[in-house]
Amino acid sequence: MAGVSYYAAAAAGTGRPCVVQFGAAPNRSRRVSRTRLRRRNAGGRFGLDSNSELQVDVKPSSGSMVEIELVATNTGSALALHWGALQPGRSEWVVPPAGMRLPEGTTRTHDDAALRTPFKTSFCSRFPSVYRMNSEGIHSILSFQSGSNSTLKIEIDNPGLESIEFVIVDEAQNKWFKNNGQNFQVHMRPPAGPHHQGQQHSATAGSIGRKNRDVMQLLSKNASTGDQVNEATGTTSAKCTVLDLFIKSLQEKHGSQVLCKKVFKLGEKEILALMSQVQGSTKVHLATDHVEPLILHWALAKKAGEWKAPPPGIVPAGSTLLEMACESPFSDAELNGLHHQVLEIELDEDSYRGMPFVLRSNQTWIKNGTSDFYLDFSRRTAKSSEVTLPFSFSPILAKNLLQKSSQNHMLIFFPCIKGTSDGSKGTAKALLETIADLEEDAQRSLMHRFNIAADLIDQAKDAGQLGLAGLLVWMRFMATRQLIWNKNYNVKPREISQAQDRFTDNLQSLYKMYPQHREMLRMIMYTVGRGGQGDVGQRIRDEILVIQRNNDCMGGMMEEWHQKLHNNTSPDDVVICQALMDYMSSDLDIKVYWDTLNKNGITKERLLSYDHPIHSEPNLKSEQKEGLLRDLTNYMRSLKAVHSGADLESAIGTCTGYTSESQGFMVGVEVNPVKGLPSGFPELLKFVLDHIEDKSVESLVEGLLEARAELRTLLLSSTERLKDLIFLDIALDSTVRTAIERSFENLNNAAPEKIMYFISLVVENLALSTDDNENLLCCLKGWNHALEMSKHSDDQWALYAKAFLDRTRLALATKGEEYHGILQPSAEYLGSLLGIEQWTVNIFTEEIIRSGSAASLSLLLNRLDPVLRNVANLGSWQIISPVDVAGYVVVVDQLLTVQHKSYDKPTILVVKGVKGEEEIPDGVVAVLTPDMPDVLSHVSVRARNSKVLFATCFDPNILSELEQNKGKVLSLKPASVDISYREIPESELLVSSSIDTLDGQKTPSLSLAKKQFLGKYAISAEEFSDEMVGAKSRNIAYLNGKVPSWVSVPTSVALPFGTFETVLSDKINKEVAQKVKILTEKLDQGELGALNEIRNVLLNLTAPTYLVSELKEKMQGSGMPWPGDEGEQRWEQAWTAIKKVWASKWNERAYLSTRKVKLDHSNLSMAVLVQQVVSADYAFVIHTTNPSSGERSEIYAEVVKGLGETLVGAYPGRAMSFVCSKDNLESPKVLGYPSKPIGLFIQKSIIFRSDSNGEDLEGYAGAGLYDSVPMDKEEQVVLDYTTDPLITDCSFRTSTLSSIARAGYDIEQLYGGSPQDIEGVVKDGKIYIVQTRPQM
């Protein structure tokens, strides 16, 4: 290993200089959240500036000794190393203690947090600088400089140190050299796990070294709507172009539906052409950001290639009619300060097929390359062919889909989200119908199919992700033999491969241009095969003749196959060739031939169905075996080169190059290697091929993943032969999956650590194939950390690993939902158009998922789950609300779909999905689910209040048994971590008091006194009273000044009861009040759709001047910032947030909840509590009596990273949970680590909290029904728990959780020992309480 130069990330090896900052200090923050920004490398070459470089080499020495050698070239005379060392999991720099001998010239910084060691500038010495660091520090130093190269060697003999971190400083110029803005960080001892197994590619007989790279170097994070991706840096910037604004203004101001659109490049500028329809009028709009004045030279066409002058009645003002065309000037326009040119043409009929045009700027003609521009009217996406979203999408998924469907000015604005009567919802309908129209032609041959697909690329691209989904569905139907490959048409193999090549070249172009669609494009390419120009396809035709001639097999089956190959080769030929090879290898056993065919979907009937059918079985001789096996093996390469997108050997050969070695074959068959492959990459691929059949697959999978990681940089660049690299990556991905599946049997009795290791491998593979993979990479880091914890016998390792198992499952479920939402509607609609068998359509998305790594990962997680639960003593259940019950078993898919249903007899719901915000239906006595809502979520509180058994089941076998009892009567008895159940006769079933009776007396009516406006629009905390505000505000005022000094309460003011009603009745809001009155009457008549309309109407309220002035006075008087001081826009943001809080009185859940308990909704009054947001490190909810057990001596709490909305707002995943005895508040016990993938963060802001008079009624838990709205939008951050000290630092965790528990205990004491439900945050170690109320 000596002399090995490790690889580096980011700028390393790219020749790109590092960021140079003048007067900027290094990143030495002790906050762990900053450490994730560091660039972690194990060495490499870095640019310091345009003339200087830094070379870092890391070499293991004897024992635990590690040598780090640094060489800086062409540097100044005042260069110094500013540095320290790092321990595992810690962010603080370790420096030698005071008094220890340090290298010559070394000084400590003023805060004693770092060392600074000057480089020597001597040009004569021949000895390197050597620093020796052992467990006690540095004890010897020599230094030298060779020419202009400053060299530094550090020898570290301390296993407790993981890495060194440093920056280079030129003290003469006060210039800091950093690694792309971050500190350099060089690992010495990579942690165990799939990413840190070695340092080089030199392969031993059975293993391959993994390069020591940071997991986050594999990050793929695409831009959202309106964002543009900087291809060089991968960063995004929100930038809405004038053309985007133009489309938006058409739809918002004029209600236009976009029927079709196209964006063309004009050098650095663009021109948008679209057809729209509004109120029966069809128009063509053109808009461009071109600076010089333009003339449109245009015509209309009713057939292809036609230029026909438009009727005089439709030409725009100022136009000039010519014999075959018209010239019309553009007009200047402006949107949001952005200048552009526009032109509008209103059409007189619907029979036009399109509009050809060119542009003229002064005397210069502008064309679309060498062709005319053309807007194709036939590609309409509205009217009868809207692009619509499925009605069943969740709002988050729908929003995600809308975001992903647009980028680079190809925005698709959906005019409506609705269902359609023909089953086309959630599809690019126009594209699918075009495909169906062309299918008959596509069935003539694969050449026709691939050429048609290539022609449809633009239409698919314009329809965004749904368009590409349509192409994928069509190609998948083809690949799975649901469509006819050949019908009465003879075509040469080279013509098929050329058509494939054309199609895949188009896909390659999209892959370069639209990184947000790369995952979908990979899936399409997987189904198609590589293709190829020139002799790639022709070899299929010619080489079969050579095989027949060389091996004397000119007749029979070989001749019939030859005729098929000559006229219509297809992917079936790969299987037929393999069947022949297996037949020869088995000493001519004809059963083996048929087994191979049948296992791959080729029956005798299919062989007979070809245009050139294969009637005969092979009838060869043993003396032909050697020659045929040799030649068929080489022939298989040609077949796979054309037809197989996932064959590893052919993909490697195409990228690394090969020359045909078969005897008598075509002379000069040669494939050149792809240029720019990483050093050692061919040897790595050779290792993979050499071990492809290994029974023990760890080393093989490590090699495959290392190859994929190495490929990643090339796949993100515009490589000349990008397509070949994509197919190689697809093949590597597929081989990982098959290798993992092959290992399942060996894992039957494996230790949990080995299963965890395999999980980490599969998670890495899935991340490498996934767009927006940050969550998966954080899961991967979690698994690696769990392996480290297990290795060091940490007693929390199983509990920690269980959290990441849950998070990984959640990631898979989210991905499955995304696939189903995007692909399944297209499969169903296109399947109906093409007559595909229904069973094939029904399982389309399921089969897509099964064909990837997600299915393997799910199996591994299922295998590990019971092991972890056993080690962590978790049992099979988590009991959220413990109640003994009996009832009839009913199985439902989602609790959301039945939350407002009333069951007329005691019902036990077995529910597949519970999000956390649902209501418990009337008549339900138990809810059992595999989902994992937080114990303190809304639905959990509802269950406990209603005395409903609520529990999460971790064992799928138990859940399946319960589902099989559907319709039966069961008795359920919960214990601490288990539920016992038995079937009982109906006669034993007693109707409990919680069940609805026929006369409706189950739920008593509650009275609610309407609050009056007492003349003040805003009040300070000192004025809070029962008549002015709700319990939320009053409790905060009560706590202020009473809590211990180490607990803070945010300053608060409020908009009191009656303020909303007064604002609504103000004459400036007369129109809004009239609309609300009409909608309220509709609501009273049972039209629940009016709820959403009321909420939207209320957003049009205008703030009276009295309200603005009084609120400003109260906020400033309480020391709070006034939003209006930052500009009128900031006040408008605050006012919108206030209106949203008021409007939440009419959200569906709250309205139906009040109706359920017979509260008079009109009497519900809404005060608004105004507080300054604490930008939390953590947020928590405390129940001072354990809600799961009812134990009053025990505090239960849940903690999330960031703001508390992810906890109380039912975001996916579980919070960290712990209990703490009130007799021993210094010893909290962690019950579960967090699995929430998302954290919410916000900077300086104001939050407006709902505070109604109906939230804390006795017998009615109204808390959480209404909205609290921050003035600013929270930032969603994918959480990396491996850098969170609450997870990784035991002392920090104990201290923080103990402080939370103590705060809960002290507040409970302030209320005379009455159990409290408390919300708060932790910021820089300090506790803030934002609200408390009686625990329900």
Side-chain angles (χ1 to χ4, degrees):
M1 298 284 284
V4 173
S5 178
Y6 287 8
Y7 287 76
T14 66
R16 192 165 70 245
C18 293
V19 176
V20 179
Q21 297 182 342
F22 291 83
N27 295 333
R28 289 185 291 100
S29 170
R30 297 175 186 273
R31 290 180 58 198
V32 177
S33 61
R34 292 284 301 275
T35 65
R36 66 186 180 92
L37 299 175
R38 296 189 178 105
R39 308 282 183 174
R40 294 191 169 197
N41 305 304
R45 181 169 55 86
F46 306 83
L48 295 180
D49 58 25
S50 57
N51 298 313
S52 303
E53 289 185 339
L54 176 68
Q55 175 71 37
V56 182
D57 291 316
V58 181
K59 295 174 286 188
S61 185
S62 59
S64 59
M65 179 78 73
V66 175
E67 293 181 358
I68 303 174
E69 187 173 29
L70 302 94
V71 179
T73 64
N74 299 320
T75 55
S77 60
L79 208 66
L81 189 74
H82 187 98
W83 66 292
L86 291 176
Q87 296 172 330
R90 303 299 297 270
S91 61
E92 299 88 352
W93 284 12
V94 176
V95 297
M100 173 158 281
R101 180 175 177 269
L102 297 172
E104 182 180 350
T106 298
T107 59
R108 295 174 181 269
T109 58
H110 66 89
D111 57 358
D112 205 32
L115 299 176
R116 184 171 294 186
T117 302
F119 284 96
K120 298 289 186 179
T121 57
S122 168
F123 288 83
C124 57
S125 175
R126 297 210 169 218
F127 297 95
S129 293
V130 180
Y131 301 7
R132 293 187 179 273
M133 178 185 283
N134 57 20
S135 59
E136 298 178 337
I138 300 171
H139 58 80
S140 65
I141 173 171
L142 294 170
S143 61
F144 104 115
Q145 176 136 341
S146 175
S148 60
N149 292 352
S150 300
T151 302
L152 188 69
K153 182 183 291 184
I154 303 173
E155 294 186 351
I156 297 180
D157 189 11
N158 182 352
L161 298 178
E162 180 182 68
S163 56
I164 67 165
E165 187 169 283
F166 62 90
V167 294
I168 305 292
V169 58
D170 186 330
E171 295 179 316
Q173 301 183 52
N174 192 25
K175 182 190 296 185
W176 296 81
F177 297 95
K178 296 185 176 184
N179 185 11
N180 284 328
Q182 304 300 323
N183 299 347
F184 294 93
Q185 190 179 97
V186 177
H187 273 277
M188 300 174 292
R189 294 178 179 84
H195 307 280
H196 311 281
Q197 296 296 308
Q199 295 78 33
Q200 58 177 348
H201 282 329
S202 58
T204 61
S207 63
I208 183 73
R210 296 294 308 271
K211 288 183 182 178
N212 184 10
R213 60 172 63 81
D214 185 358
V215 166
M216 299 312 291
Q217 292 174 25
L218 307 179
L219 179 65
S220 174
K221 193 173 183 181
N222 294 318
S224 301
T225 303
D227 289 1
Q228 292 181 321
V229 175
N230 183 321
E231 292 286 352
T233 65
T235 60
T236 64
S237 59
K239 183 180 179 182
C240 196
T241 72
V242 68
L243 301 187
D244 300 338
L245 294 172
F246 176 77
I247 300 176
K248 190 174 182 180
S249 69
L250 279 180
Q251 295 174 313
E252 292 183 349
K253 295 181 180 179
H254 307 295
S256 299
Q257 287 188 339
V258 176
L259 306 183
C260 60
K261 62 183 283 289
K262 186 76 174 178
V263 178
F264 303 94
K265 286 287 185 182
L266 302 178
E268 295 293 320
K269 304 297 183 180
E270 294 176 320
I271 184 168
L272 164 73
L274 66 82
M275 173 186 278
S276 74
Q277 186 175 62
V278 58
Q279 297 179 350
S281 176
T282 303
K283 297 181 180 182
V284 173
H285 305 267
L286 295 106
T288 177
D289 54 358
H290 194 273
V291 178
E292 299 297 327
L294 287 176
I295 300 293
L296 181 73
H297 185 92
W298 62 285
L300 293 170
K302 293 189 175 181
K303 58 183 179 180
E306 182 179 48
W307 272 75
K308 184 177 180 180
I314 72 168
V315 299
S319 298
T320 302
L321 266 174
L322 307 175
E323 182 179 353
M324 298 176 61
C326 179
E327 290 197 341
S328 304
F330 282 78
S331 301
D332 289 334
E334 191 172 286
L335 278 171
N336 287 11
L338 299 175
H339 172 265
H340 60 294
Q341 301 182 62
V342 296
L343 182 61
E344 180 182 294
I345 302 165
E346 185 169 345
L347 301 180
D348 60 338
E349 56 178 284
D350 285 338
S351 60
Y352 300 115
R353 295 286 302 275
M355 188 180 90
F357 64 94
V358 293
L359 301 167
R360 182 160 55 83
S361 176
N362 295 321
Q363 299 305 312
T364 302
W365 290 96
I366 303 172
K367 303 185 74 176
N368 185 21
T370 58
S371 305
D372 299 334
F373 297 100
Y374 188 75
L375 178 62
D376 187 351
F377 296 166
S378 66
R379 294 178 177 176
R380 302 188 183 190
T381 58
K383 213 172 183 178
S384 63
S385 52
E386 288 108 339
V387 179
T388 57
L389 292 173
F391 182 75
S392 59
F393 268 19
S394 68
I396 293 175
L397 185 57
K399 177 182 177 184
N400 187 43
L401 178 58
L402 285 167
Q403 288 175 338
K404 289 186 176 183
S405 68
S406 57
Q407 197 164 343
N408 298 338
H409 318 300
M410 295 297 179
L411 288 165
I412 302 299
F413 288 89
F414 298 94
C416 56
I417 297 179
K418 63 182 184 180
T420 58
S421 59
D422 58 2
S424 64
K425 63 181 181 181
T427 71
K429 183 182 179 186
L431 173 68
L432 299 185
E433 290 177 347
T434 300
I435 289 173
D437 290 343
L438 295 171
E439 175 58 28
E440 184 175 358
D441 191 38
Q443 290 180 0
R444 297 168 69 190
S445 74
L446 291 178
M447 177 194 73
H448 290 83
R449 187 175 298 280
F450 293 137
N451 276 327
I452 290 170
D455 291 338
L456 292 175
I457 282 286
D458 277 347
Q459 186 176 356
K461 174 194 67 178
D462 290 347
Q465 192 168 30
L466 293 181
L468 296 176
L471 269 188
L472 171 59
V473 169
W474 188 36
M475 291 295 103
R476 178 81 179 182
F477 282 157
M478 174 208 71
T480 55
R481 301 189 180 96
Q482 300 301 313
L483 301 174
I484 296 171
W485 287 359
N486 179 253
K487 189 176 182 181
N488 303 323
Y489 195 92
N490 294 333
V491 61
K492 299 174 183 177
R494 73 164 178 268
E495 294 171 332
I496 295 176
S497 65
Q498 286 170 354
Q500 277 178 285
D501 198 46
R502 177 175 172 241
F503 181 36
T504 51
D505 275 348
N506 288 346
L507 295 172
Q508 172 186 254
S509 297
L510 294 186
Y511 190 94
K512 293 178 182 178
M513 293 172 61
Y514 302 101
Q516 72 272 31
H517 297 320
R518 283 174 176 163
E519 186 175 344
M520 189 75 69
L521 291 164
R522 280 170 49 92
M523 295 166 72
I524 298 172
M525 295 176 76
Y526 178 89
T527 67
V528 173
R530 186 177 297 103
Q533 291 282 359
D535 67 355
V536 177
Q538 185 61 29
R539 289 205 305 272
I540 291 177
R541 185 170 183 164
D542 296 338
E543 290 178 6
I544 189 62
L545 288 169
V546 177
I547 291 174
Q548 288 182 279
R549 185 176 64 247
N550 284 355
N551 297 282
D552 190 22
C553 49
M554 300 299 292
M557 178 267 171
M558 292 295 290
E559 179 59 27
E560 292 169 355
W561 187 35
H562 165 212
Q563 292 302 319
K564 177 193 180 301
L565 290 162
H566 259 239
N567 294 287
N568 282 296
T569 184
S570 71
D572 281 3
D573 295 315
V574 176
V575 180
I576 293 171
C577 185
Q578 187 63 56
L580 283 170
M581 293 165 62
D582 293 346
Y583 164 70
M584 300 299 296
S585 299
S586 66
D587 291 328
L588 311 181
D589 186 345
I590 197 64
K591 286 183 60 181
V592 173
Y593 169 77
W594 284 110
D595 283 346
T596 300
L597 291 178
N598 293 336
K599 286 176 183 176
N600 290 278
I602 298 180
T603 62
K604 186 172 184 178
E605 290 73 23
R606 184 165 182 83
L607 294 175
L608 294 173
S609 71
Y610 302 139
D611 275 6
H612 292 270
I614 299 176
H615 297 275
S616 308
E617 294 180 337
N619 185 18
L620 301 168
K621 302 174 183 177
S622 57
E623 54 266 28
Q624 297 171 299
K625 175 179 176 180
E626 183 178 351
L628 270 174
L629 277 176
R630 179 194 65 227
D631 289 348
L632 287 173
T633 299
N634 285 285
Y635 188 53
M636 180 69 89
R637 174 179 284 166
S638 296
L639 290 171
K640 287 182 175 180
V642 173
H643 294 303
S644 178
D647 178 67
L648 183 60
E649 186 175 2
S650 64
I652 289 176
T654 301
C655 291
T656 59
Y658 68 86
T659 300
S660 178
E661 299 175 355
S662 52
Q663 299 177 10
F665 276 51
M666 297 169 63
V667 177
V669 176
E670 185 173 348
V671 175
N672 294 320
V674 173
K675 295 179 181 178
L677 293 177
S679 175
F681 192 62
E683 291 77 16
L684 175 59
L685 295 178
K686 182 180 184 302
F687 172 87
V688 166
L689 288 177
D690 288 346
H691 293 271
I692 200 74
E693 299 296 335
D694 285 2
K695 186 174 182 181
S696 178
V697 302
E698 288 98 322
S699 295
L700 169 63
V701 175
E702 288 169 1
L704 291 163
L705 292 175
E706 185 63 24
R708 293 199 69 194
E710 287 286 81
L711 267 182
R712 186 176 179 276
T713 301
L714 295 177
L715 291 172
L716 298 179
S717 62
S718 297
T719 308
E720 181 181 351
R721 288 171 59 186
L722 177 61
K723 179 174 67 174
D724 292 332
L725 296 176
I726 296 171
F727 277 116
L728 174 57
D729 190 56
I730 290 170
L732 292 166
D733 177 13
S734 179
T735 309
V736 170
R737 178 179 57 82
T738 55
I740 292 292
E741 290 175 355
R742 196 167 75 237
S743 71
F744 282 163
E745 185 175 347
N746 293 335
L747 293 176
N748 283 338
N749 299 309
E753 290 81 3
K754 185 167 186 177
I755 302 175
M756 288 164 61
Y757 177 58
F758 269 78
I759 287 172
S760 71
L761 296 175
V762 184
V763 171
E764 181 183 2
N765 192 58
L766 190 59
L768 285 166
S769 304
T770 303
D771 294 338
D772 296 318
N773 64 2
E774 188 173 10
N775 185 31
L776 284 170
L777 293 178
C778 289
C779 289
L780 177 55
K781 293 184 73 173
W783 286 111
N784 290 341
H785 190 70
L787 282 165
E788 276 294 289
M789 292 174 69
S790 174
K791 176 182 175 182
H792 292 97
S793 301
D794 190 315
D795 61 4
Q796 297 278 295
W797 76 266
L799 199 60
Y800 177 89
K802 179 64 169 71
F804 274 93
L805 185 146
D806 294 338
R807 180 171 177 176
T808 307
R809 270 186 175 155
L810 179 60
L812 291 181
T814 302
K815 196 66 182 175
E817 181 184 0
E818 180 184 337
Y819 275 177
H820 193 275
I822 294 170
L823 298 178
Q824 194 62 30
S826 293
E828 291 173 3
Y829 187 55
L830 186 59
S832 69
L833 295 176
L834 299 180
I836 304 296
E837 291 184 83
Q838 192 58 46
W839 69 269
T840 302
V841 172
N842 292 343
I843 63 170
F844 182 87
T845 304
E846 181 182 343
E847 288 302 306
I848 288 279
I849 295 170
R850 286 181 184 276
S851 67
S853 294
S856 303
L857 180 55
S858 181
L859 289 172
L860 288 170
L861 295 175
N862 290 342
R863 186 168 296 190
L864 181 63
D865 192 355
V867 177
L868 294 180
R869 285 190 281 108
N870 181 57
V871 175
N873 299 312
L874 292 177
S876 299
W877 294 86
Q878 180 177 24
I879 313 301
I880 298 171
S881 173
V883 184
D884 291 1
V885 299
Y888 294 85
V889 176
V890 173
V891 179
V892 298
D893 188 54
Q894 297 289 326
L895 184 59
L896 186 68
T897 62
V898 297
Q899 64 174 335
H900 300 304
K901 182 175 179 178
S902 290
Y903 292 89
D904 58 3
K905 52 187 176 181
T907 300
I908 297 168
L909 286 184
V910 181
V911 188
K912 294 178 182 176
V914 176
K915 300 304 181 187
E917 291 190 318
E918 302 92 337
E919 296 292 324
I920 303 292
D922 288 343
V924 168
V925 296
V927 177
L928 310 177
T929 178
D931 238 333
M932 294 175 289
D934 293 306
V935 173
L936 302 184
S937 66
H938 175 82
V939 70
S940 301
V941 173
R942 279 282 186 266
R944 289 191 290 268
N945 291 342
S946 304
K947 301 297 185 287
V948 170
L949 171 60
F950 187 29
T952 293
C953 181
F954 298 115
D955 191 328
N957 295 322
I958 294 176
L959 206 65
S960 178
E961 289 178 10
L962 286 167
E963 290 174 346
Q964 292 170 17
N965 282 286
K966 180 179 179 180
K968 297 179 180 178
V969 180
L970 296 184
S971 170
L972 307 179
K973 292 187 177 297
S976 58
V977 291
D978 199 3
I979 293 179
S980 61
Y981 60 91
R982 63 186 178 89
E983 185 177 358
I984 61 173
E986 289 185 87
S987 59
E988 283 189 33
L989 183 59
L990 298 177
V991 179
S992 77
S993 60
S994 65
I995 304 304
D996 273 332
T997 57
L998 292 176
D999 59 3
Q1001 295 302 308
K1002 173 221 169 187
T1003 306
S1005 297
L1006 298 175
S1007 62
L1008 194 62
K1010 188 174 181 65
K1011 299 293 185 177
Q1012 301 300 316
F1013 182 63
L1014 298 182
K1016 293 185 177 182
Y1017 286 98
I1019 57 176
S1020 62
E1022 293 76 17
E1023 301 172 90
F1024 291 176
S1025 68
D1026 290 1
E1027 295 304 313
M1028 302 284 272
V1029 293
K1032 186 182 299 182
S1033 300
R1034 299 196 308 273
N1035 287 336
I1036 281 295
Y1038 174 76
L1039 290 179
N1040 205 5
K1042 296 183 177 64
V1043 292
S1045 59
W1046 51 272
V1047 177
S1048 292
V1049 178
T1051 303
S1052 304
V1053 301
L1055 302 175
F1057 292 140
T1059 303
F1060 162 69
E1061 290 79 4
T1062 304
V1063 169
L1064 182 63
S1065 64
D1066 194 292
K1067 61 183 180 180
I1068 61 175
N1069 292 310
K1070 182 178 179 181
E1071 185 178 342
V1072 174
Q1074 289 174 342
K1075 290 181 179 179
V1076 170
K1077 181 180 178 182
I1078 293 170
L1079 291 169
T1080 302
E1081 291 172 355
K1082 287 185 178 180
L1083 184 61
D1084 292 341
Q1085 295 169 6
E1087 295 185 32
L1088 295 181
L1091 289 167
N1092 185 56
E1093 294 183 68
I1094 292 173
R1095 294 198 301 273
N1096 288 330
V1097 167
L1098 290 177
L1099 295 181
N1100 295 317
L1101 285 170
T1102 300
T1105 55
Y1106 292 121
L1107 182 148
V1108 178
S1109 60
E1110 288 188 29
L1111 181 59
K1112 178 179 180 180
E1113 178 188 349
K1114 294 299 181 182
M1115 289 182 69
Q1116 290 180 332
S1118 299
M1120 298 172 67
W1122 170 245
D1125 289 343
E1126 302 175 45
E1128 183 62 24
Q1129 182 185 0
R1130 293 291 288 163
W1131 159 246
E1132 286 300 325
Q1133 284 179 251
W1135 176 235
T1136 298
I1138 292 168
K1139 290 184 288 186
K1140 287 181 177 179
V1141 175
W1142 284 336
S1144 71
K1145 173 180 174 179
W1146 284 271
N1147 73 53
E1148 285 84 352
R1149 185 159 59 91
Y1151 177 79
L1152 293 171
S1153 180
T1154 57
R1155 195 172 70 172
K1156 181 176 178 180
V1157 295
K1158 299 178 177 60
L1159 277 176
D1160 187 342
H1161 187 260
S1162 63
N1163 284 347
L1164 188 127
S1165 297
M1166 184 73 71
V1168 180
L1169 176 63
V1170 185
Q1171 294 178 321
Q1172 201 166 352
V1173 172
V1174 179
S1175 53
D1177 298 325
Y1178 307 99
F1180 57 81
V1181 173
I1182 306 169
H1183 277 197
T1184 58
T1185 291
N1186 189 329
S1188 296
S1189 65
E1191 180 58 60
R1192 298 202 59 168
S1193 65
E1194 193 171 63
I1195 289 172
Y1196 176 88
E1198 293 182 342
V1199 185
V1200 294
K1201 193 166 178 62
L1203 299 177
E1205 180 60 22
T1206 58
L1207 179 56
V1208 300
Y1211 277 64
R1214 296 291 290 273
M1216 170 180 269
S1217 58
F1218 73 95
V1219 292
C1220 194
S1221 170
K1222 293 176 183 177
D1223 295 332
N1224 186 6
L1225 294 171
E1226 302 301 321
S1227 302
K1229 177 185 177 183
V1230 174
L1231 301 180
Y1233 285 93
S1235 61
K1236 288 185 181 289
I1238 296 295
L1240 298 179
F1241 296 86
I1242 199 168
Q1243 296 304 314
K1244 179 181 177 183
S1245 189
I1246 303 292
I1247 189 167
F1248 301 88
R1249 299 182 184 275
S1250 59
D1251 190 22
S1252 78
N1253 61 338
E1255 292 188 34
D1256 296 298
L1257 294 175
E1258 186 175 351
Y1260 172 64
L1265 289 176
Y1266 307 102
D1267 295 343
S1268 294
V1269 184
M1271 191 174 83
D1272 298 281
K1273 184 176 176 58
E1274 307 98 329
E1275 178 190 4
Q1276 286 199 3
V1277 176
V1278 178
L1279 297 176
D1280 178 4
Y1281 291 114
T1282 65
T1283 61
D1284 184 352
L1286 191 66
I1287 311 303
T1288 61
D1289 187 328
C1290 182
S1291 60
F1292 179 87
R1293 179 170 63 247
T1294 299
S1295 173
T1296 301
L1297 300 187
S1298 178
S1299 295
I1300 292 171
R1302 183 172 294 282
Y1305 176 79
D1306 288 346
I1307 290 171
E1308 183 184 59
Q1309 294 307 302
L1310 288 175
Y1311 285 90
S1314 173
Q1316 295 293 299
D1317 176 352
I1318 304 164
E1319 294 181 23
V1321 300
V1322 181
K1323 174 67 176 175
D1324 295 332
K1326 189 172 182 63
I1327 302 293
Y1328 293 80
I1329 300 301
V1330 298
Q1331 70 179 64
T1332 186
R1333 54 179 169 255
Q1335 180 175 331
M1336 302 293 287

